Amino acid sequence: MPDSALFPTEAFRKVLNQVVRDEGGALLQYAPVGGYAPLRRYLAGYLLRFGIEARAEEILIVNGAQQGFNLIARTLVDPGDVVAIEQPTYTGAMQGFRAAGARLLPVEWDGAGPRPDVFERLCERQAPKLFYCQSSAHNPSGLSIEPEIGRRLVAAAARYQVPIVEDGFDGSLHYGPRPGTPLKAADRAGIVIHIGTFSKILFPGLRVGWLVAPRPLVERLQAAKQLADLHTSALLQAAVHRFCERRLLERHVTRVTAEYARRRTLLLAALRRRMPEGVTWTEPHGGFSLLLTLPAGLDAAALLPAAVERGVAFTPGAAFFVDGAGQRTLRLAFSSVAAARIDEGVRRLAEAIKTVRRQPRPRRNEREMVPVV
Amino acid sequence: MPDSALFPTEAFRKVLNQVVRDEGGALLQYAPVGGYAPLRRYLAGYLLRFGIEARAEEILIVNGAQQGFNLIARTLVDPGDVVAIEQPTYTGAMQGFRAAGARLLPVEWDGAGPRPDVFERLCERQAPKLFYCQSSAHNPSGLSIEPEIGRRLVAAAARYQVPIVEDGFDGSLHYGPRPGTPLKAADRAGIVIHIGTFSKILFPGLRVGWLVAPRPLVERLQAAKQLADLHTSALLQAAVHRFCERRLLERHVTRVTAEYARRRTLLLAALRRRMPEGVTWTEPHGGFSLLLTLPAGLDAAALLPAAVERGVAFTPGAAFFVDGAGQRTLRLAFSSVAAARIDEGVRRLAEAIKTVRRQPRPRRNEREMVPVV
């Protein structure tokens, strides 16, 4: 999660207060299901920066990315359907599609993105209802899909008419010179549904996000949104809009990206310095975390108690894998750890790894599949 | 909808501003799915006034009543299931259960509530998954379920183990000396799920409502809520809580109930004065509307153009009927009509009725079923 110590709470308080003063009566009444019109128009311009061309009426405001998955799953997926999904992937998306009754088939990441050859084969043989992936600031790995891989995925999706659900929620939280390229930017066929949210770049507590899709699909998703909860609070939408319009979002993103980048750099340096041989990790291009892989024979879930004993926690990576793989992996989140504590945290984690490695382990029939990220 | 001219916008602006100042950082972060703890505790006390005993952990905060229906439908209803539903009823609830694949079977209202004998027969023969009804401020009729009828419905629900979904969203907007008695107040068996919302008594635009159910069911509904959108904005929940805690809700409800009661009285007087013979209507105990029944041979949908021509609109009643009945009925909403315009509106509607009645109509094979409300 983003670090609440970096929240621009005071600036937001002021714009919130102003919008209630200026148009409170209207904002507190029932509001259009599609979203607050000025915010939809603002997003159309905002997305252009990332190469996404969308008209305001192709954008649907939702309660964060999670509602986005949910509406898409309920609209496009029937029980028993196959859904193709990147692996590793965000746990919430997996749960959302599973709750709709989907059977998930993984498309493994290599360092450049989910493998297009695997995706193509899957399209050909399994006719999935959709393909879900994160194009930038990938959770858990922090990687982004390289533009060439993205183009191949989009081309395959168009050829097989399998919609791609692209979770591009925090493309602006990037640690390289430029943000990654969203798949939606390469989409000429109208086959990509892009999901975005203010949760990571601003405040999770707003529960304001958006979907971008061709108009006929937006209308179906809008009907699902109406059934789900009528509409997202117009008051919060208007406050976000005012915040963005005043260029406060850019200022905030610039400031926090610098701080998250600093934490990332400190984490990578500490890992290089402290980790025993055989431990590897991803180098995040964006987002809040990286994925670390333990040496063969170790299990992240078994390591957790030894780490917690030393005051360090992580998420065992198996949670991000569809098919039971990933036991040797774990997610290290750096977004909410103060810079001064990172090196010490890594030192303790390394110590836990060394301790566990020395312990004789009961032989188990464990899957030793190594993730390719 | 409530009249936004009566909104306590300025008072709300102040408490909103204060909660952001006091705890903005925490309120803008991810928050517990069940809801903002002080609001859940407040609601436990608030509901006691209506005779409902619930612990805070038996209350789940949702994005308005509509999300309540939706979570309940997705949790309890499978495609093809039978759902028993009062008739007439709120259109949004009908749509919500239908979207979950339910087959709706009506339990007709008479003046005192949905008929318990019909409900019992339906339980016995059709084993419905649940029964939906509005216990007070019924939309469209404005009636409430009489306590004795409520007790019979609850007893039957417990006997047949058919959960009652009670939409009791604005019990405090009542025009008699006392609010109606919620079914939940008579529920010893834990068979009633009570839905409430701040949409009608405060602001629709907040999208804050609640469910009350036994703990094991709340946990299932909470899991569905987590999948749907993680949680409801804690910022808005905290602002509502602060507003309530300062007793501003009571003050507001007292003020608007007096105004809505005045409009209701004017409407009833105008109907008595202006309507041609054969027109009947309900006398609302609460809520925002009444249901009017046209003389035999007239059709509300056919009347609408003649009314609109005269600058008066209504909702044809068929929308509130599950089984295609109700063509002779229409909903007159009085909540957002200024008192000074009510008599003139009724005069014009009466004129439209008289005009349409004089026109020769093509004979049709129409259903002449008369609703019992």
Side-chain angles (χ1 to χ4, degrees):
Chain A
M1 52 173 71
D3 186 348
S4 50
L6 303 175
F7 281 174
T9 308
E10 182 57 18
F12 186 75
R13 184 186 64 73
K14 285 182 188 151
V15 300
L16 183 61
N17 200 36
Q18 283 159 7
V19 297
V20 181
R21 248 191 235 281
D22 294 350
E23 37 179 330
L27 296 172
L28 289 161
Q29 188 52 276
Y30 286 110
V33 55
Y36 180 66
L39 180 62
R40 294 168 91 185
R41 286 195 296 269
Y42 173 85
L43 283 170
Y46 174 80
L47 291 167
L48 265 183
R49 303 179 201 177
F50 303 94
I52 297 176
E53 292 176 38
R55 284 169 294 131
E57 60 271 26
E58 293 170 319
I59 299 170
L60 173 66
I61 303 297
V62 293
N63 300 347
Q66 182 69 27
Q67 185 171 57
F69 308 141
N70 202 263
L71 297 180
I72 291 168
R74 273 151 54 200
T75 303
L76 299 182
V77 178
D78 293 313
D81 281 347
V82 166
V83 159
I85 191 163
E86 59 166 8
Q87 170 160 285
T89 193
Y90 168 56
T91 316
M94 232 189 282
Q95 290 168 341
F97 293 118
R98 277 200 176 122
R103 191 159 62 90
L104 302 184
L105 294 180
V107 178
E108 293 83 14
W109 267 73
D110 60 22
R115 285 176 48 188
D117 58 323
V118 176
F119 176 52
E120 283 162 15
R121 206 164 51 234
L122 223 148
C123 285
E124 201 167 300
R125 297 185 188 168
Q126 304 276 354
K129 276 294 178 74
L130 58 87
F131 171 48
Y132 169 85
C133 64
Q134 303 167 82
S135 56
S136 64
H138 183 273
N139 178 1
S141 75
L143 301 178
S144 1
I145 299 179
E146 286 182 7
E148 177 51 31
I149 301 297
R151 278 191 292 272
R152 281 187 58 191
L153 291 168
V154 173
R159 197 158 63 247
Y160 292 100
Q161 285 294 298
V162 173
I164 295 183
V165 177
E166 171 187 42
D167 188 341
F169 62 90
D170 45 12
S172 52
L173 281 176
H174 59 91
Y175 309 128
R178 274 188 311 280
T181 309
L183 304 189
K184 184 74 187 160
D187 178 27
R188 298 285 158 268
I191 200 74
V192 178
I193 308 169
H194 180 86
I195 304 180
T197 178
F198 290 102
S199 294
K200 304 298 184 295
I201 57 177
L202 189 49
F203 303 115
L206 294 175
R207 312 308 307 128
V208 178
W210 64 89
L211 296 180
V212 185
R215 182 75 190 152
L217 182 53
V218 161
E219 275 166 15
R220 289 174 65 198
L221 293 166
Q222 193 165 299
K225 166 73 180 164
Q226 168 110 25
L227 271 176
D229 57 11
L230 300 186
H231 63 83
T232 296
S233 165
L235 176 59
L236 294 181
Q237 293 183 64
V240 170
H241 172 253
R242 184 78 62 105
F243 192 86
C244 293
E245 201 192 33
R246 299 253 165 105
R247 307 187 66 81
L248 295 169
L249 182 67
E250 279 98 328
R251 194 181 304 174
H252 172 66
V253 167
T254 305
R255 190 171 71 92
V256 295
T257 304
E259 179 57 27
Y260 292 139
R262 189 161 82 99
R263 295 177 189 183
R264 166 193 174 276
T265 303
L266 287 168
L267 174 58
L268 291 173
L271 289 169
R272 280 192 292 270
R273 188 162 50 239
R274 307 277 187 193
M275 277 296 146
E277 212 171 332
V279 176
T280 59
W281 51 87
T282 57
E283 302 216 341
H285 307 154
F288 292 164
S289 63
L290 57 75
L291 194 71
L292 182 144
T293 304
L294 298 169
L298 286 193
D299 178 308
L303 172 66
L304 189 56
V308 167
E309 214 171 83
R310 288 166 176 81
V312 182
F314 56 78
T315 307
F320 307 105
F321 287 74
V322 174
D323 61 2
Q327 287 95 338
R328 276 172 53 198
T329 69
L330 55 92
R331 182 180 69 179
L332 286 186
F334 54 85
S335 55
S336 291
V337 185
R341 304 178 64 202
I342 290 175
D343 187 65
E344 174 62 15
V346 172
R347 191 190 67 73
R348 294 186 191 181
L349 179 63
E351 197 181 278
I353 293 172
K354 288 172 199 159
T355 308
V356 168
R357 193 152 62 165
R358 277 196 299 272
Q359 288 164 359
R361 292 187 323 123
R363 257 193 107 70
R364 295 193 305 162
N365 189 13
E366 74 178 17
R367 291 187 63 180
E368 277 287 352
M369 197 166 150
V370 182
V372 282
V373 285
Chain B
M1 52 174 68
D3 187 348
S4 50
L6 304 175
F7 281 173
T9 309
E10 182 57 18
F12 186 74
R13 185 187 64 73
K14 285 182 189 152
V15 300
L16 183 60
N17 199 37
Q18 283 160 5
V19 297
V20 181
R21 248 192 235 282
D22 294 351
E23 39 177 331
L27 295 173
L28 288 161
Q29 188 53 277
Y30 287 110
V33 57
Y36 180 67
L39 180 62
R40 294 168 91 184
R41 285 195 297 269
Y42 173 84
L43 282 170
Y46 174 79
L47 290 168
L48 265 183
R49 301 180 203 176
F50 303 93
I52 296 175
E53 292 177 39
R55 284 167 296 130
E57 61 272 25
E58 293 171 319
I59 299 170
L60 173 66
I61 303 296
V62 292
N63 299 347
Q66 182 69 27
Q67 185 172 58
F69 308 141
N70 203 263
L71 297 179
I72 291 168
R74 274 150 57 200
T75 303
L76 298 183
V77 178
D78 293 313
D81 281 349
V82 166
V83 160
I85 191 163
E86 59 166 8
Q87 169 159 289
T89 193
Y90 169 56
T91 317
M94 234 190 281
Q95 291 167 342
F97 293 117
R98 277 200 175 122
R103 192 159 61 91
L104 303 184
L105 294 182
V107 178
E108 294 82 13
W109 266 75
D110 60 22
R115 284 175 48 187
D117 58 324
V118 175
F119 176 53
E120 282 161 14
R121 207 165 49 234
L122 223 148
C123 285
E124 199 166 301
R125 299 187 187 166
Q126 304 276 354
K129 275 295 177 73
L130 57 86
F131 171 49
Y132 169 84
C133 63
Q134 304 167 81
S135 56
S136 63
H138 183 274
N139 178 0
S141 74
L143 301 178
S144 5
I145 299 179
E146 285 180 8
E148 177 51 30
I149 300 297
R151 277 191 292 273
R152 280 186 59 189
L153 291 168
V154 173
R159 197 157 63 246
Y160 291 100
Q161 284 296 296
V162 173
I164 295 182
V165 177
E166 171 186 42
D167 188 341
F169 63 93
D170 43 13
S172 52
L173 281 176
H174 60 91
Y175 308 128
R178 273 186 313 279
T181 310
L183 303 189
K184 186 73 185 158
D187 177 27
R188 298 285 158 268
I191 200 73
V192 178
I193 308 170
H194 181 86
I195 303 180
T197 177
F198 289 104
S199 293
K200 304 298 184 295
I201 56 176
L202 189 49
F203 303 116
L206 294 175
R207 314 308 305 130
V208 177
W210 64 89
L211 296 179
V212 185
R215 182 76 188 150
L217 182 54
V218 161
E219 274 165 17
R220 291 174 64 198
L221 294 166
Q222 194 164 299
K225 166 74 180 164
Q226 167 110 25
L227 273 176
D229 57 11
L230 301 186
H231 63 83
T232 296
S233 165
L235 177 58
L236 295 181
Q237 293 182 64
V240 170
H241 172 253
R242 184 79 62 106
F243 191 87
C244 293
E245 201 193 34
R246 299 255 165 103
R247 308 186 65 83
L248 294 168
L249 182 67
E250 278 97 329
R251 195 181 304 175
H252 172 65
V253 167
T254 304
R255 190 171 71 92
V256 295
T257 304
E259 179 56 28
Y260 292 139
R262 189 162 80 100
R263 295 177 189 181
R264 166 193 173 277
T265 303
L266 286 168
L267 175 57
L268 291 173
L271 289 170
R272 278 192 294 268
R273 188 161 50 238
R274 307 277 186 191
M275 279 296 147
E277 211 169 334
V279 177
T280 58
W281 51 87
T282 57
E283 302 219 340
H285 308 155
F288 292 165
S289 63
L290 58 76
L291 194 70
L292 181 145
T293 303
L294 297 170
L298 287 192
D299 178 309
L303 171 67
L304 189 56
V308 168
E309 215 171 84
R310 290 167 176 78
V312 181
F314 56 78
T315 307
F320 307 104
F321 287 75
V322 173
D323 60 2
Q327 287 96 335
R328 275 173 52 199
T329 69
L330 56 91
R331 181 180 70 179
L332 287 186
F334 54 84
S335 55
S336 289
V337 185
R341 303 179 64 203
I342 289 175
D343 187 64
E344 175 60 16
V346 171
R347 192 189 65 73
R348 294 185 192 182
L349 179 62
E351 197 181 277
I353 293 172
K354 287 172 199 158
T355 307
V356 168
R357 192 152 61 164
R358 276 193 301 270
Q359 289 163 358
R361 292 185 323 124
R363 254 192 111 70
R364 297 190 304 161
N365 190 10
E366 73 177 16
R367 291 187 62 178
E368 278 286 352
M369 197 165 149
V370 182
V372 283
V373 285

